[in-house]
């Protein structure tokens, strides 16, 4: 959606994804559905009449919801907020029914009865919400959106240097304390190889391109 002065594939040497952050679809207690299938059926009967909270136009939370709605054949109107905090607050208060938010935004409200969590967006269930199925598990195979934090180097960086740094980062994911600190903020420790990181970048470019188109953005 923005003009950038670099090529995300050609201009970098991927080293390692340190951690990934999936999203969770949470709806407040005014939503009568109790699972993702019921949510889809409920929205289909009210196409274009319901809204969802967005932490900002073009944000990954917004695009994740737009992508899911497109895959499910649903229409909902985004209500734009300046960040996830205000978006989540209005969902909890009952002003907007649903929000596809970061785990660290959803988890604090998930156990109190005010927010029902219908799905997570990763390729596997989140350790922090093991009882919540993924979107893919619930009839949408291949659905996956996550954000990640990782290390890259300039494209011309010698391969032995890239591999050495990747090995050192991988050692971090063997540290239980480090993994637990990430887990508490809704992040899954990964410490991937350079090859896995490269594949993830290419796959994500395709996913987010589809999501931008689904959201009607240019």
């Amino acid at each position: 959606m923005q003009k950038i002065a670099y090529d995300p594939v050609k201009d970098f040497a991927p080293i390692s994804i340190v951690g990934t952050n999936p999203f969770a679809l949470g709806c407040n207690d005014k939503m009568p559905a109790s699972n993702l299938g019921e949510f889809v059926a409920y929205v289909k009967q009210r196409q274009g009449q319901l809204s969802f909270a967005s932490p900002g136009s073009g944000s990954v939370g917004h695009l994740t919801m737009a992508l899911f709605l497109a895959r499910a054949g649903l229409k909902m109107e985004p209500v734009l907020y300046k960040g996830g905090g205000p978006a989540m607050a209005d969902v909890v208060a009952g002003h907007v029914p649903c929000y596809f938010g970061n785990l660290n935004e959803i988890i604090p409200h998930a156990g109190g009865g005010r927010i029902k969590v219908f799905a997570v967006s990763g390729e596997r269930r989140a350790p922090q919400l093991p009882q919540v199925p993924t979107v893919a598990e619930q009839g949408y195979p291949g659905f996956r959106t996550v954000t990640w934090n990782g290390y890259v180097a300039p494209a011309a960086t010698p391969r032995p240097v890239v591999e050495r740094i990747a090995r050192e980062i991988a050692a971090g994911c063997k540290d239980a304390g480090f993994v637990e600190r990430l887990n508490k903020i809704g992040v899954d420790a990964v410490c991937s190889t350079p090859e896995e990181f490269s594949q993830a970048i290419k796959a994500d470019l395709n996913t987010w391109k589809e999501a931008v188109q689904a959201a009607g953005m240019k």
Side-chain angles (χ1 to χ4, degrees), residues 3 16 26 41 45 69-70 73 78 82 95 104 109 113 120 133 138 145 149 157 177 181 208 216:
K3 291 184 178 180
S16 180
Q45 293 174 355
L69 294 176
K82 294 182 179 179
H95 302 312
N104 61 354
H109 305 282
V120 292
Q138 300 181 78
T145 65
N149 290 290
T157 303
R181 287 181 67 183
W208 296 120

Side-chain angles (χ1 to χ4, degrees), residues 52 61-71 74 100 211-212 214-216:
F52 69 92
H62 183 136
L63 295 178
T64 292
M65 189 62 164
L67 182 62
F68 173 70
L69 294 176
R71 298 266 182 101
L74 305 177
F100 228 133
V212 167

Side-chain angles (χ1 to χ4, degrees), residues 1 21-26 51-66 77-91 96 98-106 147 208 215 217:
M1 295 183 295
N21 189 133
F23 302 91
L25 176 59
S51 59
F52 69 92
S54 162
S57 180
S59 63
V60 287
H62 183 136
L63 295 178
T64 292
M65 189 62 164
E77 292 298 319
V79 179
L80 304 179
Y81 293 85
K82 294 182 179 179
M88 192 71 231
D90 265 13
V91 173
V96 184
C98 299
Y99 174 47
F100 228 133
N102 290 319
L103 288 188
N104 61 354
E105 296 168 337
I106 299 289
T147 56
W208 296 120
M217 298 177 180

Side-chain angles (χ1 to χ4, degrees), residues 76-194:
M76 296 178 75
E77 292 298 319
V79 179
L80 304 179
Y81 293 85
K82 294 182 179 179
M88 192 71 231
D90 265 13
V91 173
V92 173
H95 302 312
V96 184
C98 299
Y99 174 47
F100 228 133
N102 290 319
L103 288 188
N104 61 354
E105 296 168 337
I106 299 289
I107 288 173
H109 305 282
R114 298 293 300 277
I115 294 296
K116 297 180 282 188
V117 186
F118 294 153
V120 292
S121 69
E123 59 190 9
R124 60 182 64 88
R125 296 191 183 195
Q128 303 88 347
L129 296 168
Q131 76 281 9
V132 178
T134 66
V135 173
E137 280 183 83
Q138 300 181 78
Y140 303 91
F143 188 94
R144 174 188 177 274
T145 65
V146 299
T147 56
W148 44 256
N149 290 290
Y151 285 95
V152 298
T157 303
R159 187 67 184 182
V161 174
V162 169
E163 292 176 350
R164 168 68 188 277
I165 299 172
R167 288 196 300 271
E168 296 296 339
I169 293 172
C173 281
K174 296 178 182 178
D175 184 291
F178 173 69
V179 173
E180 179 60 22
R181 287 181 67 183
L182 292 185
N183 183 68
K184 286 181 178 179
I185 58 173
V187 176
D188 298 326
V190 177
C191 298
S192 67
T193 66

Side-chain angles (χ1 to χ4, degrees), residues 63 67 203-217:
L63 295 178
L67 182 62
D204 280 356
L205 286 171
N206 291 329
T207 296
W208 296 120
K209 180 179 179 180
E210 180 186 349
V212 167
Q213 292 172 341
M217 298 177 180

